[in-house]
Amino acid sequence: MAAGGWDILLSIVYYLAYAWCASRFVAVQVPGEGWRRRLFGGLLFCGYGVLGIFVKSGGMPYIFYAALSHVLLLGLIMAVFGGVWEKKLLAAVVVAAMTGLVWNFCESFFCCLGLVLSCKLGGGGKVGILDVWGSRMILVMTYGTGTAVACLLAKPFETVFAGKARGWYLCLAVPLAAIVLILDLVNWAASNGIMVQDRGKYGLYENQLFSHGGICLFTGLAMGAAGFFVFGMNRIWREEKTREQYQSQVLYYQMMEEQYSQMERLRHDMKNHILALENLVQNRQWEQTGDYLREMSLAGSVEAEDQVTGSLAVDALFYHKRRQAVEQGIRWQCDARLPANLTIKDMDLCIIIGNILDNAVEACCQMQDRRRKTAEAGKVNRETEGQRDVAGMAAEQKILEEPWIQVYMGTVKKCLLVEARNSTDLTECPGPGRRQKENFTKHGLGLSNIRSAAAKYHGAVHVESEDGVFIISVLLPGAT
């Protein structure tokens, strides 16, 4: 194959690699079906191919090629994928910055390595440029390494793009766009041979080595700065959300404690209420008696299954969560007692119990929704095709199975044990960094709050799922 044919083949490989890794990265971060990813990749490959032809023919300077390539990438992402435009803008900027920095770093590093090796293997004679095949080998290694890095970073970036405000995406995109602009200027300067001014002191070998070394150093520092900025901002955002949720939970539990205090006052005044009711009954004032009883029920919400643990805040929490479960058709069973001399603060205990019960109620509701959808799909299939759908019928039978939650709280060897079990149809446990719900942010913060509150008392948290039962146990020292 002629030299021009190899160059064309390498250009095609480069454009294919770029289109593939860009489409894969963007498809992970922004909404879009599989056909959108394929359409985006195909159009991007064709667009870069056309731009490459103009560059090879000498009809387009590099700086215009760089600007048009970024416009093409941004325009295709905006047109093909869904979602808010700020998020798509950030996706385009991240792709341009990530691929540009990685490929420039790899190319400069491999060029420096190639120059040094050519000098050593050439018997000590300094060589100014690499040969054609050496340059082609460097391009292959550069594109391969850059494509692999872009693919590996698609998943870590998913948390950056998940659940943020629109302004957050825009603020993150501006500094990265500045890095892309500076990188384009550096590449333009390098392509015009004005990176190093030797003033006659150095030869071509040193100029090439210093130029590639400078670009390698610059891109390496830029990659580090961009990574610390993006993931640092993401961590700050998550910590801020955790703090906000923590504070909102504290206010929520304080409100429930006030509500439960009102109920306790009603119970304390029960003697007076009984005397008043007795007087109404003796005078046969039945309508007034009914009104009085209804007012008492609304004021105190007294129910037979209310927990009395010894803490007003915890009692109010159990009361509220039990009502939520009953309203969703979930069978509730609770055995909870607190030791008299408990050193654990009510606020931390409510955070642990509240997040556990929130996850349990949500898991039962999601299980019912999934079973209901499966049963409805099976029913439609049988009605349309007249077939016996065994899976659908089994799902319909499972709908009749009432979801349940069991809670135990008590003292075990001078430690407080909080354990919750709930029915589930999931087979994997949510561990640190693993997703079990569609809303990753909410689930991650809930379990993180449990672990953080338990860590304050050097406690242990254990989760497991087996035979359709999800179990979470929290052991807290401090019970005497």
Side-chain angles (χ1 to χ4, degrees), residues 41 75 145 151 166 216 219 232 311 319 327 358 390 420 440 465 480:
T145 304
C151 293
R166 300 176 67 173
C216 187
T219 52
S311 168
Y319 164 75
E327 290 174 358
D358 284 340
V390 178
F440 170 80
S465 180
T480 57

Side-chain angles (χ1 to χ4, degrees), residues 339 341-344 410-417 476-480:
N341 299 321
L342 186 65
T343 60
I344 303 171
T411 306
V412 177
K413 294 183 179 180
K414 295 185 179 181
C415 292
L416 178 66
L417 175 63
L476 301 171
T480 57

Side-chain angles (χ1 to χ4, degrees), residues 174 214 219 233 270 345 447:
V174 172
T219 52
M233 288 288 290
M270 189 60 67
K345 294 181 179 179
L447 188 57

Side-chain angles (χ1 to χ4, degrees), residues 359-381:
N359 288 342
V361 172
E362 185 176 351
C364 289
C365 293
Q366 290 181 348
M367 181 187 69
Q368 286 293 85
D369 291 339
R370 282 190 291 267
R371 288 179 174 179
R372 187 175 294 106
K373 291 178 181 178
T374 303
E376 291 175 353
K379 184 177 180 181
V380 171
N381 182 58

Side-chain angles (χ1 to χ4, degrees), residues 386-424:
Q387 297 178 354
R388 180 180 177 84
D389 186 355
V390 178
M393 296 181 67
E396 289 181 6
Q397 292 297 324
K398 287 186 177 181
I399 289 292
L400 302 177
E401 299 177 8
E402 187 179 25
W404 52 269
I405 296 175
Q406 294 178 349
V407 184
Y408 171 79
M409 185 172 64
T411 306
V412 177
K413 294 183 179 180
K414 295 185 179 181
C415 292
L416 178 66
L417 175 63
V418 181
E419 183 177 271
R421 299 168 179 256
N422 61 269
S423 56
T424 181

Side-chain angles (χ1 to χ4, degrees), residues 441-468:
T441 305
K442 181 178 179 180
H443 171 67
L445 293 179
L447 188 57
S448 175
N449 286 344
I450 295 173
R451 296 184 186 277
S452 298
K456 292 174 61 176
Y457 302 93
H458 306 286
V461 180
H462 176 72
V463 294
E464 61 178 309
S465 180
E466 185 178 1
D467 298 330

